[in-house]
Amino acid sequence: MENHHANNAVYTSATQLNAIVMTNLGAGDELRVFLADAKAPRGITFDAAGNLYFAEYGSQRVRVIDDSGVKTFATGLRYPRGLAIDSAGNIYVADAGSDTIKVIDQQGRVRDFTHITKPDSLSLQGDKLIVSCGEGTIGKFSLNGEGGAFHKLPRPSSGTAMDAQGNIYVTTGMDQHNRSQMSKIDAQGRESIIMTSRSQGNLFTILGFSNNGYLLFSELPDTITIWKSREDCIVRSCVVPAYSATTHDFVMG
C-alpha cells in the first residue's frame, strides 16, 4: 500500500468514481487515485497514527487503510455517510439508513450514540460533534450524547465544519444571481454569509478543517480551495469530492 502520510496532501472520497483520491498540494495539481475499489465512499478521516478510515456507502460498512493494507473495520451499518474521530480513537458515523449517529470503538464494536433524522456530514472539534441533516437541521452534541437540534437551514447544507472557536460553516443554497453561498453560524446561533461562488451554477461543498485552521471546500465543477482568508488561500484542480481528510498541517506559501 502506497504511503499515505504525505505532507500537504488532501485525501477525498470521489463517490462517482468509487475511489479515494489524493491531491498533492505541494506538487501543482497532482491528482492520484489512492484506492480504486471503494464502493461509493463517503465520509473519510484519519486517526492519530495516520490510518485512514472511510464509510463505504455502497457496501454499508466502514473500512480502514493501514500499513498492512485495506480491511473491513465495522459492519452492520445502514448507508453510512459522514465520519468523525475523537481523541480516544472512537469513530462517529452518520448512519443515514437508521436515522442514527453510531460510535465505533477501536475493537470495531458499534453502538448507538444518538438518534437524529437523516444525518449526513459530521464535524468534531474538541468535545463537540456537529451533524448536518438531510432536511436542513444542524445538530450539536457533546460527546456524552447531550444535545440536539441547534439551527435550522432553509435547505440541507452540502457538508459542514466547525472551527476551534465553535463557529459552524454551512452552505445555504443560491443567491438571486444563482451563485452558491456559504455561511457561518456562531455559538449563539447567529448566521452570516461569508462568501459566494465565483460563477453562476457553481456549488460549494464544505469538506472540513485542517489541524492548523484552514477550511477546505470544493466548488463545482472541479476545484478544491484551502482557505483561511481572501489573502491566505490556494485553489487547486480536483476530482469533485464528497468528503475529505488530511494527515498534516498545510505549509502555505
Side-chain angles (χ1 to χ4, degrees):
M1 174 59 61
E2 174 189 346
N3 182 281
H4 52 277
H5 298 261
N7 287 302
N8 276 25
V10 180
Y11 296 79
T12 56
S13 57
T15 303
Q16 308 95 316
L17 300 178
N18 290 320
I20 305 293
V21 176
M22 184 187 80
T23 303
N24 189 340
L25 305 176
D29 291 342
E30 179 190 356
L31 302 174
R32 185 182 309 168
V33 173
F34 181 68
L35 179 69
D37 66 346
K39 294 181 180 179
R42 298 296 180 98
I44 180 172
T45 191
F46 282 98
D47 65 15
N51 301 311
L52 186 153
Y53 298 81
F54 63 96
E56 201 169 53
Y57 188 87
S59 59
Q60 304 189 53
R61 60 182 174 175
V62 172
R63 299 173 75 188
V64 60
I65 305 173
D66 60 19
D67 290 337
S68 65
V70 186
K71 55 192 175 186
T72 296
F73 182 68
T75 59
L77 302 169
R78 293 177 58 194
Y79 304 110
R81 297 177 72 93
L83 293 186
I85 191 166
D86 66 19
S87 59
N90 299 304
I91 297 172
Y92 298 78
V93 184
D95 199 46
S98 65
D99 291 332
T100 305
I101 299 175
K102 305 279 190 180
V103 182
I104 310 171
D105 67 20
Q106 280 299 300
Q107 285 70 50
R109 296 174 297 211
V110 181
R111 65 176 176 86
D112 290 353
F113 174 72
T114 192
H115 295 279
I116 193 166
T117 303
K118 298 180 181 177
D120 185 1
S121 59
L122 300 178
S123 178
L124 196 153
Q125 187 72 249
D127 65 348
K128 292 293 187 291
L129 180 71
I130 301 298
V131 54
S132 170
C133 298
E135 81 292 354
T137 298
I138 301 296
K140 181 190 286 188
F141 297 90
S142 62
L143 296 189
N144 62 11
E146 295 179 354
F150 172 71
H151 193 82
K152 180 70 173 180
L153 299 170
R155 56 187 57 81
S157 177
S158 181
T160 188
M162 182 168 54
D163 66 20
Q165 290 72 47
N167 299 305
I168 301 167
Y169 295 77
V170 295
T171 64
T172 49
M174 298 290 189
D175 67 9
Q176 67 270 31
H177 303 295
N178 198 34
R179 295 185 302 175
S180 185
Q181 296 178 314
M182 188 184 303
S183 292
K184 179 173 72 174
I185 306 168
D186 68 17
Q188 287 71 48
R190 296 173 298 210
E191 182 182 332
S192 57
I193 296 171
I194 60 170
M195 70 177 76
T196 58
S197 61
R198 293 168 295 144
S199 302
Q200 291 184 345
N202 287 14
L203 296 175
F204 286 137
T205 297
I206 297 173
L207 302 175
F209 273 96
S210 66
N211 291 335
N212 56 340
Y214 285 92
L215 177 65
L216 285 75
F217 61 91
S218 65
E219 186 175 344
L220 287 176
D222 59 0
T223 64
I224 188 169
T225 299
I226 293 85
W227 179 90
K228 190 172 284 187
S229 68
R230 190 179 298 274
E231 296 75 27
D232 188 8
C233 67
I234 59 173
V235 181
R236 289 286 188 264
S237 297
C238 72
V239 176
V240 176
Y243 300 86
S244 77
T246 64
T247 50
H248 293 273
D249 292 343
F250 296 114
V251 180
M252 305 292 282

